[in-house]
Amino acid sequence: MVRRLSDKLRFWTRSSRWRRYCLASGIGLAAPIALWFLGWILVGDDLLPVRWGAYAAPWLALLAAAAALLFAAARTWPAALAILIVGLLILAPVAKRFDPARWGRTAAAGELRVMSFNVSTMNSDFPSVARLIARERPDVIFLQQLVDLPRLDAELARLPAVPKFAGFPAHGADMMILSRFPIGAGRLYQDSATAIVTVGGCPLRLWSFHAPHGQNGVAAQSRFFSEAAASVADEPLPVIAGGDLNSTEFNSVQAPLRAVLRDANDDAGAGLGFTFPSRVRRFGMLGTLFRIDYIFSRGVTAVAAWTVDDNAGSDHFPVMAAFRITDACRRKSGR
């Protein structure tokens, strides 16, 4: 019976009907991916379909691989090779993160641990947020959509061996900086908060970002990234920044900020590190699909970066990075 089924399958896969089916299916998958890829190269986020496609770029690369298999099944080898190359080109900017040497890299003693976490205005599970912070032991935290700082402080105070965090601003805000080092020279803007901390004699400029949504229009996001990049470019101190950027690294609106700061996950992380959505949202039932939360730096060295596997009641997952900061102080002091 197994042999009979095998013979039937072999006959079917060699039939012209099978080839036509595979070819039509491959074209149906490949054509929109190829059109999006061309638009992504030529116009960036200026067109709405291109902008939405950029959010799902890794998944489009996966679909390109599926289309290549369909073309191969139809024995249309040039088309299979062409769409496979398109899929690889989509993932080319993040290819180095799949280096096996990066997997499992963690922070070491003496390195600055930084977290960025959009806790969500809908999230009232402050005990879970506090336990997450206690477990990950960040020295600096960039929080977005924190609406009740006293409740978080109270939950942190209940946990053993959790250091007291200084906060800016002193009340809860959409962009919040917590630090176990004293905070000075803080300033709050519409979409960001910034302050200075001194770590081991090294002053650092911290920035907590929360970019506008850009799914339906790119103007507000473009203005945000351009203004943030200009502010960072004028900063003489080493910089560590983090936040919810409501866009992926495949969205070209991030280009101005990426021109002046380095992505910690790109430098020291492994994989795509998706952060949104969690199962708190219905959409999250499909899984975590996008990376829209980041930690950036300039003048310090990222040695590890990872996405935390606990969302603590939020629709985002936190991201973490570890930095070596002694080099920045030596460069500044001329030693």
Side-chain angles (χ1 to χ4, degrees):
M1 183 177 179
V2 173
R3 183 174 180 180
R4 188 181 306 167
L5 289 174
S6 176
D7 290 342
K8 285 184 177 181
L9 180 62
R10 190 180 302 113
F11 172 79
W12 176 248
T13 56
R14 290 177 178 176
S15 68
S16 58
R17 184 183 298 178
W18 167 263
R19 292 186 63 186
R20 287 197 300 269
Y21 175 79
C22 290
L23 183 61
S25 300
I27 292 173
L29 276 179
I33 295 170
L35 287 173
W36 171 81
F37 182 71
L38 185 62
W40 185 48
I41 294 297
L42 295 179
V43 299
D45 286 337
D46 289 345
L47 295 178
L48 182 64
V50 177
R51 183 157 62 251
W52 275 94
Y55 281 93
W59 303 105
L60 293 180
L62 184 63
L63 288 177
L69 288 175
L70 287 168
F71 282 131
R75 300 183 184 87
T76 313
W77 305 112
L81 180 61
I83 194 63
L84 181 61
I85 289 173
V86 167
L88 293 174
L89 288 174
I90 292 172
L91 291 179
V94 298
K96 62 184 178 181
R97 295 186 210 159
F98 294 89
D99 180 352
R102 289 191 174 207
W103 295 93
R105 186 182 296 175
T106 59
E111 293 168 348
L112 184 73
R113 298 170 64 95
V114 178
M115 172 185 286
S116 180
F117 187 22
N118 184 329
V119 297
S120 177
T121 55
M122 303 178 293
N123 184 13
S124 59
D125 192 357
F126 286 93
S128 291
V129 175
R131 287 194 297 271
L132 185 153
I133 291 172
R135 185 175 63 252
E136 295 297 323
R137 298 176 290 107
D139 302 302
V140 170
I141 313 173
F142 302 114
L143 294 173
Q144 300 83 49
Q145 296 190 341
L146 178 66
V147 295
D148 197 336
L149 177 60
R151 283 190 63 188
L152 179 59
D153 280 340
E155 295 297 338
L156 287 170
R158 291 189 177 97
L159 298 175
V162 176
K164 175 68 175 175
F165 286 97
F168 178 81
H171 51 82
D174 189 17
M175 292 76 54
M176 186 84 199
I177 298 173
L178 299 182
S179 167
R180 69 180 185 87
F181 309 100
I183 292 179
R187 204 168 169 189
L188 186 64
Y189 299 92
Q190 181 178 353
D191 297 312
S192 66
T194 182
I196 293 176
V197 298
T198 300
V199 182
C202 181
L204 303 172
R205 170 66 68 180
L206 304 179
W207 241 295
S208 182
F209 291 128
H210 192 186
H213 289 277
Q215 293 91 330
N216 298 319
V218 76
Q221 271 195 353
S222 294
R223 183 168 56 253
F224 166 83
F225 285 112
S226 295
E227 292 174 354
S231 298
V232 171
D234 290 338
E235 174 57 54
L237 294 176
V239 174
I240 298 177
D244 172 7
L245 297 189
N246 278 309
S247 56
T248 75
E249 57 204 305
F250 298 95
N251 290 108
S252 59
V253 288
Q254 289 192 11
L257 193 62
R258 289 180 174 274
V260 295
L261 291 175
R262 300 186 64 88
D263 182 348
N265 193 53
D266 199 40
D267 284 345
L272 295 167
F274 293 149
T275 66
F276 179 86
S278 74
R279 289 179 177 266
V280 169
R281 291 184 178 267
R282 291 194 185 97
F283 195 33
M285 298 301 291
L286 299 174
T288 310
L289 303 172
F290 316 107
R291 183 178 183 85
I292 60 175
D293 301 270
Y294 302 88
I295 296 174
F296 293 99
S297 68
R298 188 191 68 207
V300 293
T301 304
V303 293
W306 63 97
T307 299
V308 180
D309 61 358
D310 180 0
N311 62 305
S314 173
D315 53 351
H316 292 246
F317 286 86
V319 292
M320 290 280 297
F323 294 94
R324 189 167 55 242
I325 64 168
T326 53
D327 293 343
C329 290
R330 289 195 187 103
R331 284 194 296 269
K332 192 169 183 63
S333 64
R335 289 180 290 179

